[in-house]
Amino acid sequence: MSALPKTDRPRGQISAINGSIVDVTFDGVLPMKRSCLRADNQAQTLLEVADLLNVSTARAITLGESADLALGTRVETIGQALSAPVGVQLLGRMLSGLGRPIDDGPDISQLERRSIHPPPVPLARRRKAEGLFETGIKIIDLLCPMERGGKSGLFGGAGVGKTVLIGEIIHNMASAYGGISLFCGIGERCREAEELYRELEDAGVRKNTVLVFGQMNEVPAIRWRTGHTAMTIAEYFRDDLGKDVLVLIDNIYRFIQAGAEVSALLGHAPSRVGYQPTLGSEIADLEERICTTDHGSMTSIQAIYVPADDFTDPGATHVFSHLSASIILSRARAAEGLYPAIDPIRSRSNQLSPAIVGARHYTIAQSVRRTLADYECLKDICLLYTSPS
């Protein structure tokens, strides 16, 4: 979507401010939803149109600092949706959720930019990738193997090792994976981002990696759009350069949480457990972009925080249906000092089939599951007979 000429861009002014939500009144035609606006303040704050309230007023979410926004501030329509830079020059770089460099590398302002809301890939262009994605972690590769070109999730509560496990997968795959890696940190702590940046450099693989971070201290709209920015960059490497792309996302729940914050600020009525009413469609809008096409494959490994270890929480259940492998991390195993704290009984993968992994692999995996299930039963019996009456 190309930008409109400056003379044709609708102009307006801010008529209401409610936190990071602003109402903009236009003199003429309103911009379309998801259009990008720019405020005429010192920070040149970007806005994204979220709702059209009436024939003259649009409601927008701020994508940056809004402290110096005031009633009457002039606003100009950029004429296109929010965009992200694409190009091989991004390899080895660290970007913000808006696609701006946050490292000490060279300027990327001259790179091509693409909308972060592209049309979905037609079904006729989608393909099913062949083979398994080996992580080098035995319990995963044996009992819940990941699909090459598929989506795998690491589910668990706080402090059970999701981020550590993703880091271990990055370390194990660094030398073996021949494609492009993209790490998307949604709501990341600056400490975790800095540590990952140094570790990739020390391992010598940062040159084949793009890092996109929507940091924890940024406004919810930026954290909400970080995943879409990362997907736009990943799609460029997959479709334009024909590369196999590995997308690591930490953490999908913070994407859901940011969407809930934006929904509440916009005044939308909440749904189950306080989540936004559009929870399912927002997750699908992001997850369905992760697919294999006739140009290249895209494999994704995602960390998903589970609130209060409740796996019936809507934030977790809506993600389950998009995944080919769900790896459950257990707080009980973490408390016993067993790492990775993967629950082998509750974890599942649709790749664990004799037709895919082979009869020998399948037989061994089923035997291991049966042995572990018997152990859990015997442990319960032992606890029953040893507990004081």
Side-chain angles (χ1 to χ4, degrees):
M1 183 177 178
S2 59
L4 292 172
K6 283 194 173 184
T7 54
D8 297 334
R9 297 177 185 177
R11 290 176 171 80
Q13 63 180 12
I14 295 177
S15 56
I17 301 176
N18 181 19
S20 59
I21 301 298
V22 299
D23 292 347
V24 183
T25 301
F26 289 86
D27 300 329
V29 179
L30 288 177
M32 294 186 296
K33 289 184 68 174
R34 287 186 171 178
S35 292
C36 199
L37 316 175
R38 182 184 289 113
D40 186 19
N41 61 341
Q42 185 176 359
Q44 296 285 290
T45 304
L46 292 179
L47 314 169
E48 186 181 48
V49 177
D51 286 326
L52 303 178
L53 302 183
N54 51 50
V55 294
S56 62
T57 307
R59 178 160 289 171
I61 52 178
T62 60
L63 297 161
E65 291 297 328
S66 58
D68 60 339
L69 288 177
L71 297 178
T73 300
R74 301 297 296 177
V75 173
E76 179 185 57
T77 303
I78 294 178
Q80 61 181 358
L82 195 64
S83 62
V86 295
V88 294
Q89 295 88 341
L90 297 181
L91 292 174
R93 302 299 303 275
M94 185 189 296
L95 309 177
S96 71
L98 297 180
R100 296 168 178 167
I102 52 176
D103 56 11
D104 55 358
D107 179 52
I108 60 172
S109 60
Q110 301 304 315
L111 292 183
E112 176 191 355
R113 300 188 69 89
R114 294 185 180 177
S115 168
I116 67 170
H117 304 293
V121 177
L123 293 178
R125 282 190 49 211
R126 302 195 180 206
R127 300 288 182 269
K128 179 174 175 59
E130 300 295 334
L132 301 176
F133 188 85
E134 297 183 7
T135 65
I137 300 173
K138 293 179 181 178
I139 191 171
I140 294 177
D141 293 337
L142 175 64
L143 299 181
C144 38
M146 296 182 178
E147 178 186 10
R148 181 174 290 275
K151 298 184 278 282
S152 303
L154 308 175
F155 291 83
V160 295
K162 298 182 298 299
T163 300
V164 173
L165 191 54
I166 279 192
E168 185 68 16
I169 292 172
I170 292 174
H171 182 271
N172 291 353
M173 297 304 301
S175 57
Y177 191 71
I180 301 297
S181 299
L182 188 144
F183 183 89
C184 173
I186 304 176
E188 280 287 284
R189 302 170 183 88
C190 61
R191 170 185 57 80
E192 295 172 339
E194 189 270 338
E195 287 175 356
L196 177 63
Y197 186 78
R198 282 191 292 104
E199 288 170 2
L200 292 176
E201 177 65 24
D202 294 341
V205 296
R206 204 185 74 197
K207 61 182 180 298
N208 292 323
T209 306
V210 183
L211 299 100
V212 182
F213 290 104
Q215 297 179 62
M216 187 174 283
N217 64 320
E218 295 186 287
V219 296
I222 293 181
R223 287 181 273 122
W224 193 37
R225 291 307 185 203
T226 298
H228 297 93
T229 298
M231 288 301 107
T232 300
I233 297 171
E235 286 165 348
Y236 166 81
F237 287 107
R238 180 194 65 192
D239 297 334
D240 290 54
L241 301 186
K243 299 288 187 179
D244 292 334
V245 183
L246 171 62
V247 177
L248 301 122
I249 305 176
D250 186 13
N251 187 304
I252 285 292
Y253 183 78
R254 295 195 187 112
F255 164 78
I256 296 170
Q257 201 172 38
E261 291 180 47
V262 171
S263 179
L265 289 168
L266 289 171
H268 298 164
S271 183
R272 287 178 56 201
V273 202
Y275 287 107
Q276 61 271 43
T278 53
L279 173 63
S281 59
E282 287 177 9
I283 293 175
D285 189 36
L286 183 68
E287 294 283 0
E288 289 303 301
R289 295 176 66 175
I290 304 172
C291 63
T292 296
T293 69
D294 46 13
H295 294 293
S297 71
M298 189 184 294
T299 304
S300 176
I301 302 174
Q302 310 169 12
I304 302 100
Y305 167 71
V306 181
D309 294 327
D310 179 12
F311 287 88
T312 64
D313 186 272
T317 57
H318 277 81
V319 179
F320 269 118
S321 60
H322 294 279
L323 305 175
S324 56
S326 299
I327 299 163
I328 309 299
L329 281 80
S330 164
R331 187 170 301 281
R333 292 179 66 84
E336 294 173 5
L338 300 174
Y339 289 98
I342 295 172
D343 188 331
I345 307 300
R346 300 171 67 189
S347 300
R348 65 156 188 91
S349 170
N350 60 16
Q351 299 299 291
L352 192 60
S353 163
I356 298 174
V357 299
R360 181 172 179 271
H361 184 151
Y362 179 77
T363 301
I364 293 174
Q366 292 299 95
S367 176
V368 169
R369 282 182 181 274
R370 191 160 45 248
T371 301
L372 292 172
D374 291 343
Y375 171 77
E376 291 297 324
C377 291
L378 291 172
K379 186 168 68 172
D380 291 342
I381 294 173
C382 291
L383 289 173
L384 177 65
Y385 280 94
T386 58
S387 60
S389 57

